[in-house]
Amino acid sequence: MLHRGTIAIALLATFVTNTTYANDFDIQFSGFASLTLSYTDDSDIGFASSYSNENDAGFSATRDSIVGGQANISLAKKWDSVFQVVIQDHAFKSFDNFLELAFVRYRPNRHWAIRAGRLNSDLYLLSEYPYVGYAYLWVRPPHSYYSFANIAGNFDGVDVEYSKAINEGFLRIKLAYGSSTAKLEAYNDDFFIDFDNLATFSAAYTLDAWTLRFSLSQSNFGDYKLTSLDEYLGALDAVPQSIWPQARAISDKFNTKGNSIEYAAFGVTYDYNNWLIQSELGVSESDWIVAPSVLSTYVSAGYRVDNAIFYTGFSGAKNRRDVVEITPPVFLPGTPEQVSQPIQQLAAVTQSAVRITNVHQHSINIGVKWHLSDRIALKAQLDRFDIKPQGAGLWSLNNRDDAIKSNTVHIFSLNASMVF
């Protein structure tokens, strides 16, 4: 597969270049950590900062805590390599799932850079440091916007970047191609999903206090691994069309085959004197019901007072299409119960499934970040999430009845972020 090949190429190039240019070899290690204690006030609704992580309710010291290490290796005059491992509360725990970056880079001149291996996706303002909590205001990146972004935060492939100073500003343009596999967990089972033929264009321009970023991305949904989904699709496909004509259409919506996702994003940052303002807007288009078409956004404003930054923000996410309406199966008089009952149960399961995949929520937060030193920051943050009926797609519901009603969840977090 492409992702295994590109990482192997990166490792081989590192070895070969290191052997050839031993006198230019240099390695530097660095690390970062965000240690967080958080509390949610609804025991029936589990919160996770991303799709990849464990959902939890009540007190937790793990769901937002991260420890990472990075090696920057200078190989030769125009060659270098980066390896980054981030330990966090992933539902699927493996070294490959904790390996965030592993690439070799070639810079033929000061304007061009070519990378191969495991790369950051460069779709978001925080693409280069989403886990370095010391580098941004909040305890965690805005949930409505970044919770799904995590599963496409890196990919295995190649990218080409062009950068140049233009009109007193600095422009970066990047093209990328590769693939990725999201390794998650669903219904206490491993859930893997491939993103094939992932193509990305991004452009960022910085001028004085302003940074603007625009990105486009397209990917095909590839193979998946989830036993319960296989069984569910098999049951839908076995239903006679005369009894439940909608079953085949529902099967197509839950099957990855032939489906793709497109994404566009725009972000802006203003950082001048005491003010730090940041906002992003993202639009996705997808026919796969598990990752529906969503409009998401946030805006955050912070004000510096001595060593502290007081901040507040709003974020929201909403499906761009109406919730799929499930029509009940119709049985002819005299249909045996052993035929009708399993199909009725399947229709009820389907109704529940389409409800919990939809996203419709907004949140507000207030917080403070205090720079204890040039390497350590302390944060306190309070979030209020308003989840609309049939809109809890970013949450884990212990009580399925919660899917059809409004829910409000508060999260209080204390955090220490550091670099070393």
Side-chain angles (χ1 to χ4, degrees), residues 8 26 55 61 82-83 109 134 142 154 174 176 181 213 265 268 276 294 324 352 366 375 379 385 412:
D26 180 63
N55 288 277
V82 173
F83 296 87
N109 57 52
Y134 183 86
N154 61 39
K174 184 178 291 184
T181 299
R213 178 186 289 272
V268 57
L276 175 57
V294 172
V324 175
S352 176
I366 57 172
R375 291 181 176 270
K379 305 176 188 179
F385 290 90
F412 180 69

Side-chain angles (χ1 to χ4, degrees), residues 133-375:
Y134 183 86
Y136 49 78
L137 284 181
W138 325 282
V139 168
R140 67 191 70 83
H143 180 258
S144 299
Y145 195 87
Y146 277 93
S147 56
F148 186 77
N150 177 274
I151 69 172
N154 61 39
F155 68 97
D156 302 318
V158 296
D159 67 19
V160 178
E161 177 183 295
Y162 176 78
S163 58
K164 186 178 181 180
I166 298 178
N167 295 331
E168 299 182 354
F170 189 75
L171 174 68
R172 289 196 309 124
I173 298 175
K174 184 178 291 184
L175 291 173
Y177 180 82
S179 65
S180 180
T181 299
K183 297 181 178 181
L184 318 171
E185 188 177 276
Y187 305 106
N188 298 316
D189 193 8
D190 294 340
F191 178 24
F192 298 172
I193 173 68
D194 291 339
F195 294 84
D196 297 332
N197 301 314
L198 173 63
T200 300
F201 166 81
S202 62
Y205 185 68
T206 301
L207 176 64
D208 296 329
W210 295 91
T211 296
L212 306 176
R213 178 186 289 272
F214 174 73
S215 61
L216 292 171
S217 180
Q218 191 277 337
S219 177
N220 298 324
F221 292 111
D223 294 334
Y224 69 87
K225 172 190 174 184
L226 182 60
T227 302
S228 58
L229 181 56
D230 286 331
E231 294 172 349
Y232 173 65
L233 295 178
L236 286 173
D237 293 339
V239 175
Q241 293 294 292
S242 58
I243 294 178
W244 193 19
Q246 193 184 23
R248 185 60 54 84
I250 295 296
S251 176
D252 291 340
K253 286 185 175 295
F254 276 94
N255 199 329
T256 60
K257 185 177 181 180
N259 287 325
S260 63
I261 184 169
E262 292 81 39
Y263 183 75
F266 176 76
V268 57
T269 298
Y270 176 76
D271 188 350
Y272 185 70
N273 287 339
N274 293 328
W275 285 101
L276 175 57
I277 301 172
Q278 181 168 315
S279 180
E280 292 185 82
L281 173 69
V283 182
S284 66
E285 177 67 27
S286 169
D287 291 326
W288 189 37
I289 198 170
V290 179
S293 302
V294 172
L295 173 68
S296 58
T297 188
Y298 73 89
V299 58
S300 175
Y303 187 79
R304 297 181 177 90
V305 179
D306 296 327
N307 291 330
I309 305 179
F310 296 87
Y311 62 89
T312 186
F314 168 87
S315 69
K318 186 181 186 302
N319 270 40
R320 297 176 51 238
R321 298 178 183 175
D322 294 335
V323 177
V324 175
E325 296 293 336
I326 303 301
T327 58
V330 178
F331 301 94
L332 295 175
T335 300
E337 186 174 325
Q338 60 267 33
V339 174
S340 62
Q341 187 173 9
I343 297 177
Q344 289 173 333
Q345 292 174 343
L346 183 63
V349 168
T350 300
Q351 181 67 73
S352 176
V354 299
R355 286 172 177 168
I356 65 174
T357 59
N358 286 279
V359 177
H360 189 185
Q361 69 176 54
H362 64 264
S363 68
I364 57 173
N365 65 42
I366 57 172
V368 59
K369 176 183 179 182
W370 179 47
H371 286 88
L372 185 63
S373 71
D374 59 358
R375 291 181 176 270

Side-chain angles (χ1 to χ4, degrees), residues 47-50 52-56 63 89-91 93 185:
F47 172 79
S49 56
S50 75
S52 301
N53 287 0
E54 296 274 11
N55 288 277
D56 199 5
R63 62 182 157 217
D89 197 23
H90 283 327
K93 295 174 173 60
E185 188 177 276

Side-chain angles (χ1 to χ4, degrees), residues 53-124:
N53 287 0
E54 296 274 11
N55 288 277
D56 199 5
F59 283 103
S60 176
T62 58
R63 62 182 157 217
D64 287 306
S65 294
I66 292 171
V67 177
Q70 181 169 308
N72 292 73
I73 307 170
S74 177
L75 303 169
K77 184 177 180 180
K78 297 181 179 180
W79 294 83
D80 73 315
S81 186
V82 173
F83 296 87
Q84 184 186 93
V85 174
V86 178
I87 307 300
Q88 54 183 311
D89 197 23
H90 283 327
F92 181 80
K93 295 174 173 60
S94 70
F95 176 76
D96 181 66
N97 217 25
F98 296 133
L99 180 64
E100 289 295 326
L101 300 174
F103 64 81
V104 62
R105 174 167 46 201
Y106 172 61
R107 298 181 183 272
N109 57 52
R110 64 190 181 93
H111 296 300
W112 291 93
I114 303 169
R115 303 188 302 175
R118 178 158 295 182
L119 312 168
N120 55 291
S121 62
D122 206 34
L123 291 173
Y124 317 99

Side-chain angles (χ1 to χ4, degrees), residues 26-38:
D26 180 63
I27 182 169
Q28 295 183 354
F29 295 98
S30 60
F32 51 88
S34 288
L35 308 178
T36 306
L37 176 65
S38 58

